[in-house]
Amino acid sequence: MEFQTMSVSDHIAAALRRDVHEALQSSIGFKDDIAESLATAVVGKIQQRWGGQKIYISVNNDSVERNQAIKQEFTGDNHAEICRRYNISLSTLYRIIKQSKL
């Protein structure tokens, strides 16, 4: 009997497919077979587009709103206060401010 081993990326793709499947069922209410088909299609498209690349997925889904609030609250001399309030580093603050000027 021959055993095939799964790579780390195969495990990640399988976990992503399970998570998408679960979200489609629990959040949207799709039936199992439809959720499975859609999850397979979504993960397949992600693999096609991003396969072989390292991508970063932010833990914070609210980063866009957070960054907008930071830009509005930043006065130019309240670095420490902003960093403390939003639990970010000074370099992250500078990156957010720089992005707003692009």
Side-chain angles (χ1 to χ4, degrees):
M1 177 183 283
E2 185 177 318
F3 291 99
Q4 290 186 340
T5 59
M6 290 178 65
S7 69
V8 172
S9 61
D10 291 336
H11 284 288
I12 292 170
L16 180 59
R17 192 170 33 259
R18 284 190 305 273
D19 289 345
V20 171
H21 178 263
E22 180 183 315
L24 290 169
Q25 280 188 303
S26 63
S27 298
I28 301 174
F30 283 124
K31 293 181 181 179
D32 185 59
D33 57 335
I34 295 171
E36 181 62 33
S37 295
L38 288 172
T40 299
V42 167
V43 173
K45 188 63 176 178
I46 291 169
Q47 287 176 308
Q48 180 184 21
R49 170 66 176 92
W50 297 101
Q53 298 182 48
K54 290 184 179 184
I55 59 172
Y56 172 79
I57 300 173
S58 173
V59 173
N60 184 354
N61 293 332
D62 300 324
S63 61
V64 172
E65 292 85 5
R66 179 205 66 186
N67 292 356
Q68 288 174 341
I70 288 170
K71 291 173 201 175
Q72 290 176 349
E73 294 175 28
F74 183 65
T75 62
D77 62 354
N78 59 345
H79 299 75
E81 178 187 339
I82 295 289
C83 290
R84 193 172 38 256
R85 179 180 303 143
Y86 290 96
N87 193 29
I88 60 173
S89 67
L90 190 56
S91 61
T92 298
L93 174 61
Y94 288 144
R95 181 181 45 78
I96 292 167
I97 299 304
K98 182 179 178 181
Q99 287 173 348
S100 71
K101 295 180 181 180
L102 297 179

